Amino acid sequence: MVPECIRVDLTRHIASKLGDLQDEARYSFKKELGPCDDWTSVPVYQKVTRIVTLLSGRVFVGRPLSREEEWIDINISYTLFCVRAKAAIEAYPAWMRDIVAPYLKEVKGLWEFKRRGAMLLKPMIDEMLAKEGSE
């Protein structure tokens, strides 16, 4: 379901989001890299991670939420925890994974990030539903 939505709906509407993406690219590069008058050391992985998060956030949730630090941190942390959770689950034999996975701290961390993300999304979703109900 989700991959189909991304493949069909997002691809179909990408042209209408191009201006937003260009705007966000300018903003994110300026914010994360700043002016560079001289040779400057940059933690590339951290900066690129934040830039990608800002760009994807702009497409999926829009401003102002996409630029809120808590939203950015949740999205970056969720991605990192997914990798950790996968490794933690794979440390167990295949037959045990479904049993132990819910109790692993890495998996519990994923649920916490999802809960916090949902709390940040709730006002926006409530507003959309209220608009839809009043039409």
Side-chain angles (χ1 to χ4, degrees):
M1 172 83 175
V2 174
E4 183 71 11
C5 291
I6 292 171
R7 188 179 65 79
V8 175
D9 296 332
L10 186 59
T11 303
R12 184 177 342 140
H13 294 93
I14 196 72
S16 67
K17 293 291 184 184
L18 199 52
D20 289 342
L21 283 170
Q22 290 172 328
D23 176 56
E24 202 63 26
R26 280 188 291 274
Y27 168 81
S28 62
F29 275 83
K30 184 177 179 181
K31 182 178 184 332
E32 296 303 321
L33 302 176
C36 185
D37 300 326
D38 197 4
W39 178 260
T40 306
S41 177
V42 175
V44 176
Y45 179 80
Q46 292 165 333
K47 296 296 182 179
V48 169
T49 301
R50 288 182 58 83
I51 290 168
V52 168
T53 303
L54 284 162
L55 287 166
S56 61
R58 180 72 178 262
V59 171
F60 290 112
V61 298
R63 284 190 352 215
L65 182 57
S66 65
R67 292 185 181 177
E68 287 185 21
E69 281 303 314
E70 186 176 10
W71 179 259
I72 294 167
D73 291 342
I74 287 169
N75 279 275
I76 292 170
S77 297
Y78 184 84
T79 304
L80 296 173
F81 262 70
C82 281
V83 174
R84 291 179 189 159
K86 181 181 182 289
I89 292 168
E90 288 179 343
Y92 291 88
W95 65 271
M96 286 183 69
R97 292 176 184 166
D98 288 341
I99 299 166
V100 299
Y103 302 101
L104 298 174
K105 67 179 179 184
E106 295 85 357
V107 174
K108 288 179 181 179
L110 291 174
W111 286 106
E112 179 59 21
F113 291 124
K114 287 174 83 171
R115 185 191 66 74
R116 288 175 49 209
M119 284 177 35
L120 292 173
L121 281 171
K122 188 176 181 343
M124 186 170 60
I125 292 170
D126 289 345
E127 182 182 331
M128 288 178 181
L129 290 172
K131 283 182 185 176
E132 187 176 296
S134 67
E135 292 176 358

